[in-house]
Amino acid sequence: MATASVANHDVHAHDHHDHEHHDNFITKYIFTQDHKMIGKQFLITGIFWAIIGGFLSILFRLQLGFPDMNLEFLRPLLGGWITESGQLDQTFYLALVTMHGTIMVFFVLTAGLSGTFSNYLIPLQIGARDMASGFMNMLSYWFFFLSSVIMFISLFIKTGPAGGGWVVYPPLSALEQAIPGSGLGMTLWLVAMTFFIASSLLGGINYITTVINLRTKGMSFSRLPLTIWAFFLTAVIGLLSFPVLFAAALLLVFDRSFGTSFYLSDIYIGGEALPNTGGSPVLYQHLFWFLGHPEVYIVLLPALGITSEVIATNSRKPIFGYKAMIISMLGITILSFIVWAHHMFVSGMNPFLGSIFMFLTLIIAVPSAVKVFNYLTTLWRGNLIFTPAMLFSIGLVSFFISGGLTGIFLGNSAIDIQLHDTYFVVAHFHLVMGSASFFGLLAGVYHWFPKMFGRMMDARLGYVHFWLTFVGVYMVFFPMHYIGIAGFPRRYYSWTNFEFSNMYTDLNMFVSVAAIITFAAQFIFLFNFFNSMYRGRKATQNPWRSTTLEWTTPINPGHGNWPGEIPTVYRWPYDYSKPGADEDFIPQTVPYSQTPESNLPHEQELVKLEQEIMKEESEVLVANENKH
């Protein structure tokens, strides 16, 4: 808890009447520049995509769990993608896997998580009226919306959506004649992702600028909530890595449409050689995974930041190791850029290079372990309050541990060569990245719902939702580790032709049933979310008795967030259960001079500094009044 810089960052704290907006429906709800409404737009769009992405996974789990099942009942929905014999079309299976991965990783866990909470919380928690650029913020959402529309349209075209896996490796994705899913569907995928990248970059620039420049008086970097640190570093990672994916996609467009050979060489189709020479599909892998691995942390860090806030609030304890948490996030940010080739151990890379990436991959487990240790020690002997948000945060820690441990296996190149492209990998990243981040998203929604909508969600439905989802996720992904170790391969439409995999029929059926139940449980959340928005119990201003700035705004804050002056910050964001204090939380806006009974020795020294600041402020106020 370093002494805050007293430099006036509050350059944006004009008189409140400058910020009053008289909006009509279009400017308030559609083309809005209010960060809170834009955050809600990202959230609703992310929820829509989560339903679509989850439903696609149910379709291909039906194929995997019940390979001989007659799916004729799906014909009204899927039309020609159900064959004459009532089976799922093979090329459509690949398209389902591709679109599920793309939707969940980018549209739900990147836009839905970062877009929602970075937008909603950054100005509120640092004490800003809005983002640095409201217009750029609005553009960020509408680029994402345009990307969503294009991706959604691709689901309905005759040749089907993109079908090269969510990583769209060439040459499969580069040759339109390869499979139906490499035709128009792949073109639309590339166009949609281009708009998505533009959206992410616009958002990232805005988040970084806002955190650096628009913090209120007293809000030094050492007093930022860990949520803001997480969103800030996530934006830095995205700003440095998404342009590389754009480059990869652009070169793929050139290979597909303009006859270049960046990724193509020595290709034969139907016995005939294509004219392309000199390219390398491994180049695409390097470019893709240079984003692809940082993307894991673009997805994870916001969820971990949310978890830090929720666990500290509901443990009624200061977060354990605040500085260690920041340093570990900085370590993850740096290391995330130098481990990408662990996805490529079987691509023919030099074993010496593989050993370097293996070493770096195992090192990144250290800052992750620091975070887990600090979560557990924050929970240890705390006055735990098991709100739905707290349960989902603890669930995230559970997935982060169990999924992270299997990452140590896969980080070892000798073991990865055996496990690569098996269900062991699927289980690993669905636990540590997919499910953990999804639980972070849900924890954030349950926790900040009262601030977003002025009402409380139904806690009983939240508990039911948590337990069904938590148990369901383990039931889905735990068995996958076993069949993966046995060599069960990913992305196979049909596995019943192989004797070694036939023995896992029952386990696959079990996983599919568990997936269907887990997906169905999400409709409890959907009902709770939309019903509570209109019929939920009205929230108080600070229902969780939290210390951070967003709970000092009115219950339904207008555009500008605070009526009158923006509050000044005097302390760090985790003063919970402080010995000697009247209550078990002290908001960041309470000066040390008002809490002499609970001040630590070094905090007593800050009282004098506070009094000097207050004297300066009152002099400025008097001078302004005299001018008027």
Side-chain angles (χ1 to χ4, degrees):
M1 284 169 19
T3 304
S5 163
V6 296
N8 189 355
H9 295 295
D10 199 12
V11 294
H12 55 300
H14 308 131
D15 291 338
H16 179 60
H17 60 73
D18 292 343
H19 297 275
E20 287 179 359
H21 294 259
H22 301 288
D23 294 327
N24 57 35
F25 181 84
I26 299 290
T27 56
K28 185 174 182 180
Y29 294 107
I30 300 176
F31 296 109
T32 178
Q33 294 188 25
D34 181 358
H35 71 98
K36 299 183 293 298
M37 187 57 67
I38 292 171
K40 292 176 193 176
Q41 288 176 329
F42 270 105
L43 178 60
I44 301 296
T45 314
I47 288 172
F48 167 79
W49 275 119
I51 296 164
I52 301 290
F55 178 67
L56 298 183
S57 71
I58 296 305
L59 292 178
F60 65 71
R61 273 314 322 175
L62 284 174
Q63 169 62 33
L64 289 166
F66 310 95
D68 300 322
M69 183 179 181
N70 190 314
L71 299 177
E72 194 64 41
F73 66 94
L74 289 173
R75 189 178 293 281
L77 183 67
L78 301 181
W81 298 117
I82 301 295
T83 63
E84 294 292 324
S85 59
Q87 301 296 301
L88 196 67
D89 183 84
Q90 296 185 26
T91 55
F92 189 63
Y93 174 83
L94 292 177
L96 287 173
V97 174
T98 303
M99 296 305 287
H100 167 74
T102 303
I103 288 166
M104 288 309 208
V105 171
F106 294 114
F107 289 18
V108 178
L109 296 177
T110 302
L113 181 52
S114 246
T116 298
F117 291 105
S118 296
N119 265 308
Y120 199 86
L121 291 178
I122 286 176
L124 285 172
Q125 289 197 333
I126 68 169
R129 294 285 181 201
D130 207 315
M131 284 289 178
S133 170
F135 180 73
M136 192 185 286
N137 210 16
M138 178 186 75
L139 274 185
S140 170
Y141 173 73
W142 285 103
F143 270 123
F144 169 53
F145 185 82
L146 182 58
S147 169
S148 295
V149 169
I150 295 168
M151 197 67 84
F152 190 67
I153 288 170
S154 80
L155 294 170
F156 299 98
I157 60 176
K158 188 176 180 181
T159 52
W166 80 277
V167 293
V168 297
Y169 280 173
L172 186 64
S173 61
L175 300 169
E176 293 195 20
Q177 64 269 48
I179 54 171
S182 291
L184 178 60
M186 184 61 68
T187 303
L188 291 173
W189 189 95
L190 289 165
V191 172
M193 286 308 299
T194 302
F195 284 116
F196 180 84
I197 292 165
S199 163
S200 298
L201 295 177
L202 286 169
I205 292 167
N206 225 352
Y207 307 151
I208 293 166
T209 308
T210 305
V211 171
I212 291 175
N213 292 321
L214 299 187
R215 288 168 286 124
T216 189
K217 184 180 286 188
M219 181 63 86
S220 64
F221 271 91
S222 60
R223 288 176 173 173
L224 287 176
L226 289 172
T227 39
I228 302 301
W229 272 105
F231 301 148
F232 176 70
L233 294 173
T234 299
V236 170
I237 296 172
L239 203 59
L240 295 174
S241 60
F242 267 116
V244 181
L245 179 65
F246 177 74
L250 193 63
L251 298 184
L252 187 54
V253 169
F254 285 165
D255 274 12
R256 286 172 57 81
S257 305
F258 300 110
T260 57
S261 301
F262 290 107
Y263 305 135
L264 299 173
S265 185
D266 307 317
I267 306 285
Y268 291 84
I269 292 186
E272 286 188 30
L274 297 187
N276 307 79
T277 55
S280 169
V282 176
L283 168 64
Y284 175 87
Q285 291 192 32
H286 279 292
L287 293 173
F288 180 87
W289 288 115
F290 191 82
L291 161 94
H293 199 78
E295 172 66 19
V296 170
Y297 296 102
I298 289 170
V299 162
L300 254 177
L301 279 179
L304 294 173
I306 288 166
T307 296
S308 302
E309 186 68 28
V310 172
I311 284 180
T313 300
N314 291 293
S315 297
R316 312 312 292 169
K317 276 177 67 179
I319 193 79
F320 185 89
Y322 174 78
K323 286 181 181 174
M325 292 292 250
I326 295 169
I327 292 166
S328 68
M329 283 195 283
L330 285 166
I332 285 170
T333 301
I334 294 163
L335 287 168
S336 70
F337 284 101
I338 50 176
V339 296
W340 78 88
H342 66 217
H343 297 271
M344 300 168 56
F345 285 142
V346 296
S347 66
M349 71 159 63
N350 186 312
F352 176 69
L353 189 62
S355 67
I356 292 171
F357 277 103
M358 180 180 90
F359 175 68
L360 293 168
T361 300
L362 296 177
I363 283 179
I364 207 169
V366 175
S368 302
V370 168
K371 293 192 79 63
V372 167
F373 176 80
N374 287 359
Y375 289 139
L376 296 178
T377 40
T378 303
L379 290 166
W380 178 251
R381 302 188 75 178
N383 296 323
L384 304 185
I385 303 168
F386 290 110
T387 63
M390 180 67 153
L391 290 175
F392 277 102
S393 295
I394 294 169
L396 179 150
V397 176
S398 171
F399 294 149
F400 199 52
I401 295 169
S402 54
L405 286 173
T406 56
I408 296 171
F409 287 75
L410 294 168
N412 185 315
S413 55
I415 299 173
D416 181 71
I417 286 166
Q418 304 300 318
L419 295 176
H420 190 83
D421 263 347
T422 68
Y423 265 79
F424 192 88
V425 178
V426 177
H428 159 70
F429 74 75
H430 274 85
L431 276 182
V432 79
M433 182 181 89
S435 302
S437 302
F438 191 64
F439 268 44
L441 171 62
L442 291 169
V445 171
Y446 278 106
H447 189 72
W448 280 288
F449 189 91
K451 179 59 30 193
M452 288 183 180
F453 300 105
R455 294 180 181 270
M456 306 294 288
M457 290 183 77
D458 188 320
R460 291 166 300 177
L461 288 177
Y463 296 139
V464 175
H465 175 220
F466 168 75
W467 284 111
L468 284 174
T469 309
F470 181 71
V471 174
V473 165
Y474 271 127
M475 292 297 99
V476 171
F477 298 115
F478 222 80
M480 285 188 188
H481 291 93
Y482 293 100
I483 59 177
I485 289 170
F488 195 85
R490 294 174 73 177
R491 302 193 181 103
Y492 273 44
Y493 162 78
S494 174
W495 42 269
T496 49
N497 303 329
F498 307 105
E499 200 173 321
F500 84 94
S501 56
N502 250 339
M503 60 195 287
Y504 295 109
T505 306
D506 292 346
L507 215 46
N508 261 309
M509 196 182 298
F510 177 81
V511 166
S512 291
V513 170
I516 291 165
I517 293 169
T518 309
F519 178 66
Q522 305 321 301
F523 288 91
I524 298 171
F525 167 76
L526 282 177
F527 171 78
N528 196 358
F529 181 85
F530 288 105
N531 186 58
S532 300
M533 204 185 288
Y534 298 103
R535 297 183 181 176
R537 180 166 51 87
K538 287 192 175 178
T540 55
Q541 186 178 11
N542 188 358
W544 314 123
R545 295 162 59 80
S546 197
T547 59
T548 43
L549 279 182
E550 75 270 27
W551 304 106
T552 64
T553 64
I555 294 173
N556 290 303
H559 195 170
N561 297 334
W562 286 268
E565 291 295 312
I566 296 176
T568 301
V569 166
Y570 297 97
R571 58 182 71 228
W572 79 320
Y574 298 108
D575 265 342
Y576 290 105
S577 301
K578 206 170 180 188
D582 294 336
E583 295 206 57
D584 69 347
F585 74 107
I586 306 174
Q588 284 188 280
T589 53
V590 175
Y592 287 112
S593 54
Q594 291 182 18
T595 57
E597 68 285 345
S598 65
N599 288 347
L600 300 171
H602 74 278
E603 291 169 345
Q604 282 298 131
E605 297 167 16
L606 297 177
V607 173
K608 195 175 179 184
L609 185 64
E610 274 175 15
Q611 288 166 346
E612 289 173 10
I613 295 168
M614 287 175 183
K615 188 179 175 186
E616 281 176 25
E617 283 178 345
S618 62
E619 287 171 359
V620 169
L621 202 62
V622 169
N624 286 341
E625 283 174 0
N626 290 339
K627 277 181 190 175
H628 290 302

